[in-house]
Amino acid sequence: MDAVWLSPIYPSPMADFGYDVSDYTDVHPLFGTLEDFDALVGEAHRLGLKVVLDFVPNHSSDEHPWFVASRSSRDGPKRGWYVWRDAARDGGPPNNWESLFGGPAWEWDEAPGQYYLHLFHEKQPDLNWRNPETRGAMLDVMRFWFERGVDGFRVDVLSLLIKDEAFRDNPPTPEWRTGYPPHQRQQRLYNEDRPEMRELVREMRAVADEYDERVLIGEIYLPLDRLMAYYGEDLNGIHLPFNFGLVLLEEWEADAVRRLVEQYEAALPEGAWPNWVLGNHDNPRIASRVGPSRSRLAQMLLLTLRGTPTCYYGDEIGMHDVEIPPHLIVDPVGKSAPGHGRDPERTPMQWDASPNAGFSTGTPWLPVPRDYAENNVEAQRNTYRSQLALFERLTELRHELRSLATGSYRSLDTRTEPVFAYLREYEGERVLVALNFGSSPEEVDLSEAGTEGELLCSTLMDREGGVDPKRLALRPGEGVVVRLPG
Ligand code: GLC
C-alpha cells in the first residue's frame, strides 16, 4: 500500500455515516482527537504511507453551526451560505429536483418560511458555492488539513457543487422504472457538472498547489468525455478524477473490459495520469459482482492496468457483500429504497476469527458474515496461495517493475474471445498480462509480444518459471503476469 483514504472522520450526527459533517476542522470523538490524528499522520509517514482524507464540500450537516445560523433568520449573515428558495406559487417546492437518496430535494423550513436544498438526506443541506464567503471558508478547510500534513483529499460528489442559477427543472430519465436506483430518476442537467465547475476545480487545485506533493481525487460519476474535463485545461484541475468504469461495468467479460480500457486510454488528455477503481462504499463488492473465483482476476487487472489503483478495504481478501436483515439496516438509502442500500458492502473488516472478526470489542454498526472465521486476514496470511498473498505479490511487482508502475499500455490481439491481454513497457522492460475471463482452459498465441517469457505471477499462485507466449496456456479464470526479454 502507498496511501490510505479515510472516509469522513469529522464530528457528525451520522445521518449519512460521516458524510453529514457538523465541524470540518475537528475529529469525531468516536475516532479520537486532533492529536490522535496528528499521531496517525506522523506514523503513516514514518511507514512511507500517504494519508488522504474525504472532503465533503457539497453539503454539511443540518447541525453544523453555519446551518443553524443560516436557518435562524432570513437576513442573518449566514443565510446565503446555503441554498434557500421561496415556495412555488402553489406553495410546493421551488422546482422538481430530487434527492439522490429519493424524494424531493427541497425541505420546507417553517420559520422564516423558505425551502432549503438537499441533494442528499434532509439532514445534509447543500452549501452555496456561489457565495464567495462560503467558498473561501471551504477552501480554508482544505488548508487546515494540508497544514496538518494531510497528503490529499478525495472530494465527495465534486460535480454537484454548483447549481443552475435559474434553478430550471430537470428532465426525467425516460428508461427509469420503479425499483431502479432513486439517483437515476432524473437527468441532473441543472444540478450537476455546470459550466462554472471548471473554474471552481481550478481554484481547488490552486489551494493544493500552495503545498508540495498533494493530491486531489474527485468523486465524479459522469460519462468519459465529461469526466476528462475535470483534469482541467492544461491539467490544472483534479489530479485523479475517479474512473468508475470497472465499478459500473455490467458484463464482466474480456471483450467488454478491453473496450472499456481502450476507450478510457483514448479519452485521457495528453499527460493526464489514469486511475482505476474496483469498488467503494457505495457499490456492491467486486467479489459479489463477479463471483469469488473471478475476484482474483479482477485484482490482477486492477493492479496491472496503467494508472493509480484504488482498492476498497476487504476486497484484497475477497470479502463479499453481507445480507443485512431489515431490522439491522442503517443506511438511509437502504431504508428509503429497499435493495439499493449500501450496508452490504460496509461491514466490518475481517481481521481474524475472534468475535466481530477482530474489528471491534464493541458492537459494530453492521454484522459480520457467517464465513468470517475462514475468510479473514489472519487466516489468509497463514494460507499458502491465498487471495491476500496474490494481492501482496501484485503490489510488490508494482513496486519492483517500472513498466507496471508507470509504463505504457498496449492491448494485444489474443484472437481468443475470453482472454484479454496487454503489454506494459518502460525503457526496454516489458511485461505481458493475460487474463482468462472464461470458464474453460484457453491457449493463446501472443507471439507478437515475444517468444520467451518468465512467469512472475499467476492468480492461482501455484506456478512460476519459463513460458512461451506463442502457446500461453491459461486455466479457467486464470490471469498471469509474464516478464519478456527487453
Ligand atoms: C458520496 C459518498 C456517499 C455519500 C454521498 C453524500 O457519494 O460516497 O457515501 O452518501 O456522497 O455525501
Side-chain angles (χ1 to χ4, degrees):
M1 290 288 175
D2 301 299
V4 276
W5 149 34
L6 302 178
S7 49
I9 57 164
Y10 317 103
S12 161
M14 299 285 174
D16 185 23
F17 297 94
Y19 285 97
D20 47 324
V21 179
S22 53
D23 183 350
Y24 284 102
T25 53
D26 204 350
V27 173
H28 195 300
L30 268 175
F31 307 125
T33 61
L34 275 174
E35 288 65 43
D36 293 328
F37 179 76
D38 293 341
L40 176 117
V41 172
E43 182 62 4
H45 287 171
R46 198 183 61 79
L47 295 168
L49 277 171
K50 310 256 188 220
V51 178
V52 173
L53 285 188
D54 220 304
F55 179 44
V56 192
N58 181 66
H59 42 265
S60 72
S61 161
D62 64 341
E63 296 180 31
H64 194 295
W66 294 344
F67 188 72
V68 174
S70 186
R71 82 187 321 176
S72 69
S73 103
R74 218 168 157 143
D75 353 273
K78 291 275 188 302
R79 188 65 173 181
W81 282 45
Y82 291 82
V83 186
W84 293 97
R85 304 286 289 170
D86 289 331
R89 254 181 243 124
D90 64 358
N95 70 13
N96 78 347
W97 292 357
E98 286 182 1
S99 150
L100 277 78
F101 285 176
W106 297 97
E107 190 73 11
W108 177 250
D109 206 39
E110 257 336 306
Q114 269 191 319
Y115 281 92
Y116 70 84
L117 179 71
H118 61 90
L119 290 183
F120 293 89
H121 197 271
E122 68 254 27
K123 282 183 69 63
Q124 292 169 300
D126 280 46
L127 283 153
N128 178 12
W129 275 84
R130 288 183 185 273
N131 178 336
E133 267 182 62
T134 318
R135 201 154 165 148
M138 289 303 280
L139 296 178
D140 279 346
V141 167
M142 298 174 70
R143 292 189 181 97
F144 174 88
W145 294 104
F146 280 144
E147 301 284 341
R148 283 200 112 85
V150 160
D151 298 287
F153 291 104
R154 173 267 189 191
V155 187
D156 193 59
V157 295
L158 176 61
S159 47
L160 300 181
L161 262 50
I162 304 231
K163 284 82 183 172
D164 179 38
E165 232 170 349
F167 290 90
R168 281 168 282 186
D169 279 351
N170 278 331
T173 310
E175 314 78 63
W176 198 89
R177 299 282 172 276
T178 310
Y180 284 20
H183 66 86
Q184 290 174 359
R185 231 171 98 105
Q186 282 188 339
Q187 303 175 53
R188 282 186 293 282
L189 235 50
Y190 296 110
N191 48 18
E192 179 158 31
D193 194 29
R194 300 301 303 160
E196 296 91 334
M197 275 309 303
R198 307 272 173 280
E199 189 201 325
L200 178 53
V201 158
R202 277 199 300 277
E203 276 175 45
M204 286 187 168
R205 172 60 178 270
V207 172
D209 285 349
E210 290 167 18
Y211 305 84
D212 289 339
E213 297 270 314
R214 309 300 161 106
V215 71
L216 295 179
I217 307 168
E219 188 208 17
I220 304 160
Y221 286 88
L222 285 175
L224 272 187
D225 52 331
R226 290 162 71 196
L227 176 70
M228 294 305 171
Y230 284 77
Y231 278 107
E233 265 170 59
D234 306 324
L235 304 183
N236 59 359
I238 297 297
H239 299 92
L240 299 173
F242 262 145
N243 164 15
F244 293 125
L246 292 172
V247 174
L248 302 176
L249 194 72
E250 279 169 14
E251 335 145 61
W252 194 255
E253 279 156 22
D255 203 38
V257 176
R258 177 192 299 111
R259 257 181 287 129
L260 170 73
V261 174
E262 288 174 357
Q263 282 164 4
Y264 179 76
E265 281 279 347
L268 277 168
E270 207 184 318
W273 183 243
N275 76 92
W276 293 94
V277 180
L278 268 188
N280 60 28
H281 61 295
D282 295 325
N283 290 283
R285 282 189 180 271
I286 185 72
S288 297
R289 282 190 286 127
V290 305
S293 58
R294 283 198 291 178
S295 111
R296 284 176 176 248
L297 197 73
Q299 220 49 258
M300 182 173 275
L301 174 75
L302 174 74
L303 295 170
T304 57
L305 283 174
R306 190 174 79 97
T308 299
T310 300
C311 174
Y312 183 47
Y313 84 85
D315 283 356
E316 70 277 43
I317 58 167
M319 270 173 64
H320 54 74
D321 288 347
V322 180
E323 207 184 302
I324 310 292
H327 69 285
L328 293 181
I329 292 177
V330 291
D331 177 23
V333 182
K335 290 181 185 168
S336 65
H340 297 294
R342 301 162 298 175
D343 293 328
E345 62 264 20
R346 295 178 174 184
T347 58
M349 177 68 185
Q350 292 156 212
W351 291 110
D352 58 34
S354 68
N356 303 324
F359 178 77
S360 175
T361 50
T363 308
W365 292 339
L366 291 165
V368 291
R370 264 191 231 111
D371 66 354
Y372 83 87
E374 299 88 61
N375 191 20
N376 60 60
V377 173
E378 195 187 33
Q380 292 204 15
R381 281 241 163 91
N382 296 326
T383 311
Y384 204 51
R385 300 171 182 166
S386 66
Q387 182 158 338
L388 182 60
L390 169 67
F391 187 84
E392 285 172 349
R393 174 70 179 139
L394 288 166
T395 46
E396 184 182 272
L397 285 174
R398 279 185 78 91
H399 284 123
E400 275 168 22
L401 300 169
R402 286 302 293 269
S403 51
L404 283 184
T406 59
S408 62
Y409 167 91
R410 175 157 73 87
S411 303
L412 294 173
D413 183 5
T414 60
R415 279 172 241 113
T416 312
E417 225 173 68
V419 180
F420 172 34
Y422 44 93
L423 204 58
R424 301 289 317 277
E425 288 179 273
Y426 182 85
E427 288 180 359
E429 183 186 279
R430 303 169 68 236
V431 166
L432 162 73
V433 181
L435 309 165
N436 180 6
F437 282 74
S439 40
S440 322
E442 299 290 343
E443 191 179 278
V444 278
D445 175 357
L446 295 171
S447 48
E448 77 169 283
T451 47
E452 53 178 304
E454 180 203 349
L455 188 71
L456 297 176
C457 178
S458 152
T459 45
L460 301 169
M461 297 291 286
D462 60 352
R463 58 177 178 133
E464 43 195 44
V467 283
D468 177 3
K470 190 171 170 53
R471 278 182 298 272
L472 188 64
L474 294 168
R475 289 165 287 173
E478 186 184 24
V480 292
V481 179
V482 175
R483 188 178 183 142
L484 302 166

